[in-house]
Amino acid sequence: MSDTAERLELSKEAQDLLFRDARTVGAFTDEPVTEEQIRAIHDLVKYGPTSLNTQPLRVTLVRSAESRERLVQHMIESNQGKTRAAPLVAILAFDTAFHEKGEEVFPGRGDMIKGMFADEAARDANGRLNATLQIAYFLIGIRAAGLAAGPMSGFDAEAVDREFFADGSQKSLVVVNIGTPAEGQPAFPRLPRFEYDDVVTEL
């Protein structure tokens, strides 16, 4: 066990599950991903912080073959086959009117949140940033459930929004395939990571 691993409160096994051994997966077994598993993931990752607790992430689970084809047509070619075959696919988007729920998520500050994000450009920027934070939590939650994730940005987001969110209520950010890794996955060796001194500056 490395010295850095020993300095963390989380067990070495949990550290490996969530980070060191976790990989992006492109192919999965036929084992289904249940609603109970997704609920358990959400019940864990909902505690991740967002600005003013706005929680703008929305998750659309794409299970049926019909809905899957509606999505696949807007994916780049290299993502189409694995999206068709994955046990479960999720469209991760942000709520374009998240500020309207300010009183629900921050009682007593609802009017402040509505005012801060009344401007559409400010709301869009904040929604994207905080939903992206929540996407990272969601991916770690998938790993915590013993599953693997294949997140993808290779799709026509505007077309997906027209297909699934024609009323403008959401804007898609990431599509993620979810399931148990197939034999031989991940298919590629782990790529290099920056070390501490490459990314951390102390002033």
Side-chain angles (χ1 to χ4, degrees):
M1 183 183 295
S2 69
D3 289 342
T4 54
E6 291 176 342
R7 293 176 183 273
L8 300 175
E9 291 292 329
L10 206 61
S11 72
K12 171 66 162 51
E13 292 73 22
Q15 294 173 36
D16 290 342
L17 175 68
L18 298 180
F19 295 99
R20 297 189 191 92
D21 294 340
R23 301 287 304 281
T24 295
V25 168
F28 302 88
T29 68
D30 293 333
E31 185 176 350
V33 177
T34 66
E35 180 182 351
E36 290 74 18
Q37 287 174 302
I38 298 299
R39 285 184 177 275
I41 290 166
H42 174 261
D43 283 344
L44 174 65
V45 304
K46 67 184 180 184
Y47 295 106
T50 53
S51 176
L52 295 170
N53 202 37
T54 48
Q55 306 171 68
L57 180 67
R58 301 293 179 264
V59 180
T60 299
L61 300 178
V62 184
R63 290 192 185 273
S64 71
E66 178 186 0
S67 296
R68 194 73 62 94
E69 285 305 317
R70 289 172 59 201
L71 174 61
V72 164
Q73 65 178 326
H74 303 302
M75 308 291 293
I76 63 172
E77 185 174 358
S78 60
N79 286 336
Q80 291 182 355
K82 55 189 175 184
T83 301
R84 281 195 182 95
L88 181 63
V89 181
I91 303 171
L92 306 183
F94 73 93
D95 182 349
T96 57
F98 68 85
H99 63 313
E100 296 291 343
K101 299 177 177 63
E103 191 62 31
E104 295 179 43
V105 298
F106 204 146
R109 299 290 181 90
D111 288 341
M112 179 191 73
I113 291 172
K114 283 184 179 180
M116 286 182 66
F117 302 114
D119 176 73
E120 184 177 357
R123 190 165 66 249
D124 186 88
N126 186 275
R128 288 178 185 278
L129 171 62
N130 285 284
T132 300
L133 285 174
Q134 290 185 278
I135 288 168
Y137 307 146
F138 188 75
L139 296 178
I140 293 171
I142 290 170
R143 296 168 178 176
L147 300 169
M152 300 168 288
S153 58
F155 62 97
D156 185 335
E158 291 185 358
V160 168
D161 293 346
R162 288 192 298 270
E163 187 74 40
F164 291 92
F165 316 121
D167 61 356
S169 62
Q170 299 182 37
K171 291 186 179 181
S172 55
L173 298 171
V174 172
V175 173
V176 57
N177 295 331
I178 307 168
T180 301
E183 185 176 355
Q185 288 289 313
F188 304 101
R190 181 179 288 286
L191 294 173
R193 295 300 196 269
F194 286 118
E195 296 299 331
Y196 180 90
D197 290 335
D198 296 322
V199 297
V200 177
T201 301
E202 186 170 338
L203 302 176

